[in-house]
């Protein structure tokens, strides 16, 4: 009969997350099957006549633009080429912090801020009176511990904590404001009266 290759689908659309798909090839000839892109892999590169299922592994996308690949099923002897268009949606990087401003007293404090992201991040602060743990995080929901030292100077002070992903150019800022130290010195009595015999006062 007339040589043929039939595909169960001619296009595949997937989300940015890594995933798997499958196609069924029916033919009466042998053929090769290949993908144009490394992020879209077919589990076998040769097929035989009959009905055969192929699994396709599509890697997670870190690109902010849509990307495409082409899977080709080819029999060179009879000049048959069938194609499957694979389209993967654009990755949308996200980085959020639960608080953008922290107010604390002169005594210092220990604050916790939730960082939610689908990308990695780095936390930095130039102020030496603020300690951050951890300074690096990965995708998911993480807790950033912020330890603020006591203020021992007579003026209020401010600092900015930055949570950054340089790859996608995303920065979230947390403003820290701490009140001024107010020195205090008091005595219980401002005048003492005693007899000529002397005395012991407190």
């Amino acid at each position: 009969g007339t040589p043929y290759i039939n595909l169960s689908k001619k296009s595949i659309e997937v989300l940015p997350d890594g995933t798997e798909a499958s196609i069924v090839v029916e033919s009466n000839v042998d053929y090769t099957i290949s993908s144009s892109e490394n992020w879209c892999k077919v589990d076998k590169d040769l097929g035989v006549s009959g009905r055969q299922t192929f699994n396709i592994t599509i890697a997670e996308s870190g690109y902010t633009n849509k990307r495409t690949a082409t899977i080709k099923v080819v029999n060179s002897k009879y000049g048959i080429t069938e194609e499957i268009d694979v389209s993967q949606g654009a990755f949308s990087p996200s980085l959020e912090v639960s608080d953008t401003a922290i107010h604390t007293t002169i005594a210092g404090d220990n604050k916790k801020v939730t960082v939610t992201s689908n990308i990695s991040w780095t936390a930095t602060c130039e102020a030496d009176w603020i300690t951050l743990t951890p300074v690096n995080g990965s995708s998911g929901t993480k807790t950033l511990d912020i330890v603020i030292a006591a203020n021992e100077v007579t003026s209020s002070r401010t600092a900015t904590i930055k949570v950054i992903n340089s790859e996608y150019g995303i920065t979230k800022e947390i403003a820290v404001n701490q009140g001024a130290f107010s020195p205090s010195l008091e005595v219980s009595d401002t005048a003492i009266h005693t007899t000529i015999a002397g005395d012991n006062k407190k």
Side-chain angles (χ1 to χ4, degrees):
T2 303
Y4 68 87
I5 297 175
N6 293 328
L7 308 178
S8 61
K9 59 186 71 173
K10 292 294 186 75
S11 64
I12 298 172
E13 293 188 7
V14 297
L15 297 174
D17 302 335
T19 189
E20 291 187 353
S22 64
I23 57 169
V24 176
V25 181
E26 293 184 342
S27 71
N28 61 356
V29 294
D30 297 342
Y31 51 87
T32 61
I33 182 167
S34 62
S35 173
S36 63
E37 304 294 336
N38 289 333
W39 53 266
C40 179
K41 296 182 180 295
V42 185
D43 62 343
K44 294 182 284 286
D45 55 10
L46 295 173
V48 295
S49 62
R51 179 184 175 91
Q52 192 167 357
T53 300
F54 294 87
N55 294 318
I56 302 167
T57 301
I58 300 168
E60 182 179 0
S61 175
Y63 294 92
T64 54
N65 295 316
K66 176 182 177 180
R67 62 180 180 178
T68 60
T70 302
I71 296 171
K72 290 186 176 183
V73 183
V74 179
N75 178 283
S76 300
K77 180 179 180 179
Y78 297 106
I80 304 173
T81 299
E82 297 291 336
E83 295 184 350
I84 303 165
D85 295 321
V86 180
S87 174
Q88 187 174 38
F91 174 70
S92 179
S94 174
L95 177 62
E96 299 294 336
V97 293
S98 59
D99 291 292
T100 57
I102 294 173
H103 300 276
T104 183
T105 65
I106 61 171
D109 209 342
N110 187 345
K111 298 287 188 179
K112 295 183 183 296
V113 172
T114 301
V115 182
T116 306
S117 72
N118 60 0
I119 52 179
S120 60
W121 49 269
T122 300
T124 64
C125 184
E126 295 183 355
D128 59 3
W129 45 276
I130 292 178
T131 303
L132 305 176
T133 306
V135 294
N136 295 293
S138 57
S139 62
T141 301
K142 312 292 182 183
T143 298
L144 178 64
D145 288 314
I146 304 169
V147 178
I148 304 167
N151 188 4
E152 297 178 351
V153 297
T154 56
S155 60
S156 61
R157 56 185 180 180
T158 61
T160 301
I161 298 169
K162 294 183 178 181
V163 182
I164 302 169
N165 178 282
S166 300
E167 181 181 1
Y168 296 105
I170 301 175
T171 299
K172 297 295 180 178
E173 295 186 349
I174 304 167
V176 181
N177 295 278
Q178 188 175 39
F181 173 69
S182 179
S184 175
L185 178 61
E186 300 292 338
V187 293
S188 59
D189 293 291
T190 57
I192 295 174
H193 300 276
T194 183
T195 65
I196 59 171
D199 207 342
N200 186 347
K201 295 287 188 181
K202 295 183 184 295

